[in-house]
Amino acid sequence: MALIRTMWFFVNYFLFIISGQALNVGKLHRYRAQPLASPWNSVASTARDLHASVASSSEPVFLSEKVAPSKTKVALLICPAQFCVPSDYDILIKNLMEIESDLPVKLASRSSITVPLSRTDWIKVARQLPTRAFLEARLDVKKTLQWYFEAIEKGLSQIFAAEGEDVNVCFVGHSIGGWVARAYLGGLSQSSSAVHRLALKQCSSLITLGTPHISPETALVDQTRGLLRAIAESRACSPQALQADHGIAITCVCSTGIQGLMSSSNSTSRLNFLEPIIATGSYLPLTGRWALNDESGESMAGDGIVPSSLSFLESPADRVLLEKCLRTGEAIRHSHVVPTPWNLWDGLSPSIKLPEDDFPSYVSKGVVEQWAKFIQ
């Protein structure tokens, strides 16, 4: 009898396993048990009854369900360009949210913000104008940019208060905002706050958009008056240190859509007479060169303000070269707005918007789609 009970148990268990494998997700396959000689007929009958009840049910039955791995939540902290205000970047956050399903991360929509700077905050740089350090192009990073660093920490505090201290943070720096963010993450703010320590722990990536990272010796004038050179010379601000010491992945994005006066390939621009002049007026002082190199005479290319030759950092930073908006086919410009530094009576009012169809920029949807995958 003990042997019969043991065999009964294993046969029953075997039929249960077979019946479980016969049920597939979303499509039920009816398992037909083969008649067995007595005394096993009752077991087969039970199995058939079980499958009949499952097959007649209107609700699908899932014996196992594959659960997609959850995406890491990431909050964005956007560091604005000169004289830009938070509302200027609402369009960037909106466009990123619309393509979130295609991203490798989940964006924290309620806490992705722009550094809270008003137009009047930028006037604080003027305090350094009459100094000897300004004239000699050796401005101190902390003293000159302390107001920007403090605003970054205010933004970070808002993010951590809303999402908790375990949320990842991606810094997105537009123009000057890219190298200011790099200086902050590299410790040049000399901040000893808990927010700064937490930011270094939770910052997972830094993406710069049209940011000049290099101030070459050939430049006609150092427009940052030594600030960019000090950041470039700081090992703590280098891509190697930021990634090795803090796990921060860096991506540099720049357009090559606008070329200077020496190029004959500006026909894609609807302002193909004026834009090369403006571009050359910006590229020449920043690089000290009319052409990309003296041998070929090839014209400088960039986003109309910053030449691409100055927009990239060395490895392990990723380089993303863009040319045209995927949706309009137009060349990608440096900015989506015209700042209004004269409007000091309303320091938070939006800048003048440029028409997106004619002047796509780094924040345009057809451009964001090309670099957003680097958010992590």
Side-chain angles (χ1 to χ4, degrees), residues 208-228:
T208 64
L209 309 173
T211 294
H213 286 292
I214 304 169
S215 181
E217 294 295 332
T218 57
L220 299 184
V221 60
D222 183 353
Q223 296 184 5
T224 70
R225 309 311 296 154
L227 294 175
L228 189 52

Side-chain angles (χ1 to χ4, degrees), residues 80-85 88 118-120 122-123 339-342 344 351:
Q82 191 171 22
F83 285 109
C84 288
V85 295
D88 292 339
S118 71
R119 195 170 287 107
T120 54
W122 293 91
I123 306 301
T340 55
W342 58 85
L344 301 180
S351 303

